[in-house]
């Protein structure tokens, strides 16, 4: 078995790992994602593929974010017909997200490609976590929950015959982390999702490092601190400014986490907020909410023959003020379903879509959650076009916002006093979704609204979390996710710092850390070494096929 780290190497998006089991002439991928918001993204998303899609037996998908699943429709368009192994929730989310992406200008695939992909998603039967599922002769895989978004898992690949003699080890394995969440067992401080699971031992582990150089302060890991910060922004906007609180949110997981925190604020003092309208004006997020609602009630039979929630965090009963009993669980499921399906009346809010003009022209305090967390288009821009010109508006960001986006430009001016903003020459630009792509511009010199950001909503593990996933102590012994750790999915400084931390923590048990570069090609997982650079048969076939395609296009 050998692996090639196609991406994300020296960057953060575009996850794609290519594996070949030459003894059985089998090829497969772990993830096949788009690059997003990084230098070279167009080249990556539209490049000639290094492999031949029709030769791939299957793809293992860790979760539904575009930087992990975004090129799957292109695989199908170019001949892939194998299974896409993932959880049921990942499949449902991916269909929504990919269909939405196909409608965006410049997408590297069409809606028809997304429809052709849909039948290929497959969740293995049997126990979802910890059970080996065959996908070839002496080839197996298993999933492990990561707590990143609903349905997210790490994937362990196992190859070789099962041992027939006690103590004789004939199988080898590699675990791909996917994206790891921040919730740990006993510390589910973020949102709705159950804690990430410890992986089983493998010879190799491939781990993300998005925040591999970051150690978050305690207040960013405190549910109480985050909810209190949100409450302060809500109260100041609604009761002091008498204005609109606009929250641009990512559709997957961020919207749901913000809704949960708002619910906690309202439950603590329902009389204070009664009658104040809340609007969820984000069509994609509303559809995602439905998938989350179903996921929150999904259960699986545990090894102790009792039903346990697959995805739902343990601490949610206390958030809703319910007892940890059978009856309390029934009430919890009912309230979660109501919250996610837009029925928050019992807490004082009414949640539904409303025409943008009515919110803007109504002149009454309100909370509005919209899509497009980075304010690059969509409904949020229609709100901003009017509300940014009002002093009683607050725009609240709850996630990382790239500096080059409209959201990033707003945050860059947050410290500039309102009276000095008249000298700012920058502007927001965006295009309507109409066929003409009508362009709009909003000079930031006209912006008088309040711009704020709340930390603590990140669903990405920091360095401490990553180390705890890779190396942990149990009954006085160090346990390992992998003896050799490959560090990907992060900027170079994050990868190098995490590599040093891994070597330091694992020094006593001989853990090694590899930081692949774009110069590396194949790594032999059976022999434990990098192979010399050369083109495989599949790469040559892909190259020849691309040359033939270009020649045919030139002759047309």
């Amino acid at each position: 078995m050998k692996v090639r780290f196609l991406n994300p190497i020296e960057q953060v998006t575009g996850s794609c790992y290519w594996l070949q089991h030459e003894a059985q002439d089998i090829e497969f991928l772990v993830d096949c994602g788009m690059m997003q918001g990084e230098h070279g993204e167009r080249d990556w998303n539209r490049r000639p593929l290094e492999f031949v899609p029709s030769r791939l037996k299957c793809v293992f998908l860790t979760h539904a974010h575009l930087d992990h699943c975004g090129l799957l429709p292109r695989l199908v368009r170019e001949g892939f017909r194998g299974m896409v192994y993932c959880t049921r929730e990942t499949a449902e989310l991916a269909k929504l997200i990919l269909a939405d992406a196909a409608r965006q200008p410049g997408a590297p695939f069409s809606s028809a490609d997304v429809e052709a992909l849909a039948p290929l998603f497959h969740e293995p039967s049997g126990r979802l976590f910890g059970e080996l599922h065959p996908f070839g002769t002496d080839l197996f895989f298993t999933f492990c929950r990561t707590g990143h978004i609903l349905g997210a898992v790490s994937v362990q690949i196992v190859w070789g015959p099962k041992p027939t003699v006690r103590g004789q080890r004939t199988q080898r394995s590699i675990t791909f982390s996917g994206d790891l969440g921040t919730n740990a067992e006993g510390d589910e401080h973020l949102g709705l999702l159950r804690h990430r699971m410890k992986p089983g031992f493998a010879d190799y582990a491939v781990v993300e490092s998005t925040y591999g150089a970051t150690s978050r302060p305690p207040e960013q890991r405190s549910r109480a601190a985050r909810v209190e910060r949100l409450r302060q922004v809500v109260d100041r906007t609604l009761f002091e400014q008498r204005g609109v609180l606009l929250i641009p949110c990512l559709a997957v997981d961020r919207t749901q986490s913000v809704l949960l925190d708002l619910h906690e604020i309202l439950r603590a003092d329902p009389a204070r907020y009664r009658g104040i309208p809340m609007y969820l004006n984000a069509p994609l997020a509303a559809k995602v909410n439905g998938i989350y609602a179903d996921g929150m009630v999904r259960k699986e039979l545990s090894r102790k023959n009792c039903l346990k929630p697959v995805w739902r965090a343990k601490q949610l009963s206390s958030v809703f003020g319910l007892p940890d009993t059978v009856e309390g669980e029934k009430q919890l499921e009912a309230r979660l379903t109501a919250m996610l399906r837009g029925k928050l009346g019992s807490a004082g809010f009414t949640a539904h879509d409303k025409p943008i003009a009515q919110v803007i022209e109504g002149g009454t305090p309100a909370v509005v959650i919209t899509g497009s967390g980075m304010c690059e288009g969509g409904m949020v821009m229609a709100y901003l076009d009017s509300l940014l010109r009002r002093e009683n508006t607050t725009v609240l960001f709850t996630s990382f916002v790239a500096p080059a986006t409209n959201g990033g430009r707003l945050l860059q001016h947050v410290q500039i006093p309102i009276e000095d903003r008249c000298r700012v020459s920058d502007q927001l630009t965006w295009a309507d979704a109409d066929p003409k792509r009508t362009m709009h511009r909003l000079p930031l010199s006209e912006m008088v609204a309040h711009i704020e950001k709340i930390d603590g909503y990140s669903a990405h593990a920091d360095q401490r979390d990553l180390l705890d996933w890779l190396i942990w102590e149990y009954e006085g012994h160090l346990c390992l996710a992998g003896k050799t750790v490959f560090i990907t999915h992060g900027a170079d400084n994050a990868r190098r710092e995490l590599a040093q931390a891994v070597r330091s923590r694992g020094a006593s048990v001989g853990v090694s850390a590899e930081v692949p570069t774009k110069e590396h090609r194949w790594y032999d997982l059976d022999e434990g070494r990098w192979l010399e650079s050369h083109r495989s048969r599949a790469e040559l076939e892909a190259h020849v096929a691309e040359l033939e395609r270009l020649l045919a296009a030139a002759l047309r």
Side-chain angles (χ1 to χ4, degrees), residues 30 78 80 115 209 357 443 451-452 462 471 489:
V30 175
E78 298 188 23
F80 173 68
E115 292 175 5
S209 60
I451 313 297
E452 300 204 31
D462 68 2
I471 308 168
H489 204 299

Side-chain angles (χ1 to χ4, degrees), residues 8-25:
I9 301 298
E10 302 170 9
Q11 59 200 51
V12 179
T13 60
S15 179
C16 189
Y17 308 106
W18 178 18
L19 291 95
Q20 291 186 358
H21 190 25
E22 292 181 315
Q24 296 186 29
D25 194 27

Side-chain angles (χ1 to χ4, degrees), residues 381 385 406 427-432 434 437-442:
M381 300 311 298
D385 198 16
N406 284 329
Q427 60 184 354
L428 306 186
T429 60
W430 68 97
D432 281 345
D434 60 49
R437 301 290 295 160
T438 305
M439 292 299 300
H440 297 267
R441 290 173 175 80
L442 172 60

Side-chain angles (χ1 to χ4, degrees), residues 28-47:
F28 57 95
L29 302 180
V30 175
D31 287 342
C32 191
M34 293 173 61
M35 278 182 63
Q36 295 178 283
E38 295 187 271
H39 176 71
E41 65 174 285
R42 182 175 176 83
D43 292 340
W44 167 260
N45 295 337
R46 296 183 176 276
R47 77 198 189 286

Side-chain angles (χ1 to χ4, degrees), residues 262-277:
L262 284 171
H263 187 284
E264 186 168 356
I265 291 168
L266 305 179
R267 187 186 65 81
D269 191 355
R272 178 172 176 77
Y273 302 98
R274 184 151 299 148
I276 293 176

Side-chain angles (χ1 to χ4, degrees), residues 182 190-191 216 220 226-227 230 253-254 257-262 265 396-399 454-460:
T182 61
L190 180 62
R216 295 192 179 98
Q220 290 190 24
R226 185 184 68 247
V227 172
L230 178 60
D253 203 66
R254 193 55 46 84
S257 294
V258 170
L259 282 173
L260 180 65
D261 285 357
L262 284 171
I265 291 168
L396 177 64
F397 292 95
T398 60
S399 61
I454 290 181
D455 294 318
Y457 280 103
S458 175
H460 269 288

Side-chain angles (χ1 to χ4, degrees), residues 170-297:
T170 56
Q171 292 182 319
R172 298 182 71 79
S173 53
I174 182 171
T175 299
F176 296 84
S177 72
D179 284 353
L180 297 173
T182 61
N183 282 356
E185 189 167 9
D187 180 24
E188 293 176 334
H189 61 274
L190 180 62
L192 300 164
L193 296 181
R194 198 172 181 85
H195 61 82
R196 62 179 182 270
M197 299 170 69
K198 298 290 189 185
F201 171 79
D203 298 281
Y204 303 94
V206 180
V207 68
E208 62 125 326
S209 60
T210 308
Y211 290 96
T214 301
S215 295
R216 295 192 179 98
E219 60 269 22
Q220 290 190 24
R221 307 179 71 92
S222 166
R223 177 178 182 80
R226 185 184 68 247
V227 172
E228 174 59 20
R229 176 81 173 95
L230 178 60
R231 186 195 64 77
Q232 291 174 2
V233 177
V234 169
D235 285 2
R236 184 168 59 251
T237 306
L238 298 181
F239 303 122
E240 296 179 22
Q241 298 169 198
R242 303 293 297 172
V244 174
L245 173 59
L246 181 66
I247 310 177
C249 266
L250 303 174
V252 181
D253 203 66
R254 193 55 46 84
T255 293
Q256 296 74 40
S257 294
V258 170
L259 282 173
L260 180 65
D261 285 357
L262 284 171
H263 187 284
E264 186 168 356
I265 291 168
L266 305 179
R267 187 186 65 81
D269 191 355
R272 178 172 176 77
Y273 302 98
R274 184 151 299 148
I276 293 176
M278 169 183 166
Y279 305 109
L280 174 61
N281 206 334
L284 179 60
K287 294 176 183 177
V288 169
N289 279 359
I291 298 173
Y292 264 70
D294 293 339
M296 290 298 100
V297 299

